[in-house]
Amino acid sequence: MAIKIFLLILLFNFRFHSSLSGQTNSMESVPDLQKSMYMTVDGYPCVRLVNLSGEIGCSNPGRDKVVAPIIKYKSNKELAQPSAILLSMDDVQGFFSRISNDSSFARNVGGVLVESGVEIQHKLKGFSPAQKFPQAEFAPYLNTTYEWNPIGSGIMWKSYNFPVFLLSESSTSALQEIAMKNEKAEKAYTTNVAEFDVVMQTTKVGTHDSESCLTEETCLPLGGYSVWSAVPPINNSSSNQSKPIILTVASMDAASFFRDKSLGADSPISGVISLLAAVDALSHVDGLDDLNKQLIFLVFTGEAWGYLGSRRFLLELDQQSDAVHGLNSTLIQLVMEIGSTGKGVSQGNKTFFAHTKVSSGENEALDALKLAQESLKSEGVTVSNASSSNPGIPPSSLMAFLRKNSSTSGIVLEDFDTVFANKFYHSHLDDSANINSSSIVAAASLVARTLYVLASDKKDLSSSALSAINVNASLVEELISCMLKCNPGLSCELVSSYITSTNTCPSHYVGVVLGEPSSTPYPNQVDDVSRFVWNFLADKTSTRKVNTSVCSEDCGKNGGLCIRAELDGKGVCVNSTTRYVPAYSTRLMFDSGTWKLLPPNSSDPMGMLDPVWTESNWNTIGLRVYTVQEAAYDRLVLLGGITVTVFAYLAIVLTRAYITKALKQD
């Protein structure tokens, strides 16, 4: 209240002096004055994440905002006072290493502002804040010291008691100028400061692990909704359920040091785009109802955080819940995972690697891949077996299946052999500039034709039959624009033809579970990308209803699905088997409106390893910059004011005495 009164007085004085001088100004209100005093900075925060054993990520150190002068980071200089450090991407890894090793330096870090720019990827040899073996604890083999991601620094898996923001490009330019001004005016009486509002509820309340923060309701579990769809649709009243299942999977969630800048273009979104494009290609093939095997397409979320999606899916299968109705785990013949596919282009050729464990199921899949490769020979597409020196399959959802059942037949298609080709794995720099659309098209073509070979169960398929399965390259380009760029982003024509998105700029961070998990969640409980994937798959794997195309109450009763319902409230009724599967920790249960932690189950080895990731709640997150006067200057002004007041008082007393004496003499 006092601040508002002060601002009103300032505004009145400003307008009064402006009117006296004949000047005009558009400043008509307190918000106008505040805008002139404070610059709101666009950026992406690092937030606090919590698990059963502790914390990672960033937060203000206490309950209050952090205010610190802005300085440019120089590796050879110490910090004399708590400062907001402007950091170039070149210095990020060295800076955070110094934080870990130099406590006196870390003590004076008030906050960090990380620069961004269009040319950064070209300047950097690589940047990955992830581990060298991501989620090694879930590997189905013993060699967990292998470095799939040799460039990984692991800095995003540590805890920092200061706020960190990634600046937008426009904010980067502004903050660089401000830091330069501060440096030039080092001895001036004013300085420009950054004010960080990244106060986390877990820090305020002191709940520093998932069990305590869930009990005190200062956090929410990481998670969301996976999506699966069947080709052809499963008729629960027929014998089609006995068909062997070929399960094709991909992941749609990415991770990053900065929560809302998790694009994951190559890892893993290129794989999702390949899957969607393959489904579209197969949707134009006649005779899918006559396939000898059941094709199931499954897009997981939560895989970057302890394989939440795949582990929950396997649990739902065990429990035969509504979310997986129509599926039987004993019928799964092969799990084919589409991993990173965006960097498979080399010297004009598109090269991919099949990571497997040797068994009859994998051999059949490899044979089908080779047949598909032969049909794509003219397009320069090749598939090679991954190196036998690898310890096993790379980090992937297939790990969860193998930990559940070591005899599962599985294959992972990747754009790398022994180490990640993606130099920006789990980094905000893994964006659309980091992938090649022709590589994704080639992978989608390879997958679509391989699945057709496997599902047809024919060894003598003609090359003309496979050549008829073609991926729409324009669709791939459109999916890249929709899922990896802000313009047009999720407001693109393709996404807008299915859903009404809540955000334009895509981010593939998993988010938190809102409300009670369900196989039929309300749209506001499901993020934009999951809703789009659900509608897209339901459309492409469907057969239209004969009686009506507009949704009615009878649509769901007759086994149909209502797609595009968000657009006009009516939607289109289609015959499709497409469902949401909740994705959250298998150690959690939602009961009476709150989350409860379940005790570890020795019969579930993956659950025993489950870190139970949660995200801290917060009220607001913000960053702004403004100018303040040095305290010494304020004291000098105060001293000067007191001195003037004393002299004025003495002058008044002396003048009065002089006048009184003069009047008496008269």
Side-chain angles (χ1 to χ4, degrees), residues 28-39:
E28 297 291 335
S29 63
V30 169
D32 287 339
L33 182 60
Q34 285 180 312
K35 284 180 183 178
S36 71
M37 294 173 64
Y38 301 102
M39 182 182 82

Side-chain angles (χ1 to χ4, degrees), residues 448-469:
R449 295 184 183 190
T450 300
L451 291 175
Y452 188 73
V453 172
L454 288 168
S456 299
D457 211 12
K458 296 176 183 176
K459 309 298 181 187
D460 57 347
L461 275 173
S462 65
S463 58
S464 60
L466 290 180
S467 298
I469 304 173

Side-chain angles (χ1 to χ4, degrees), residues 81 85-86 138 203 319 341 446 513 528 531 642:
Q81 60 178 331
I85 299 170
L86 183 64
F138 293 103
T203 303
Q319 297 173 345
T341 62
L446 197 60
V513 184
D528 291 340
R531 294 197 331 275
I642 292 171

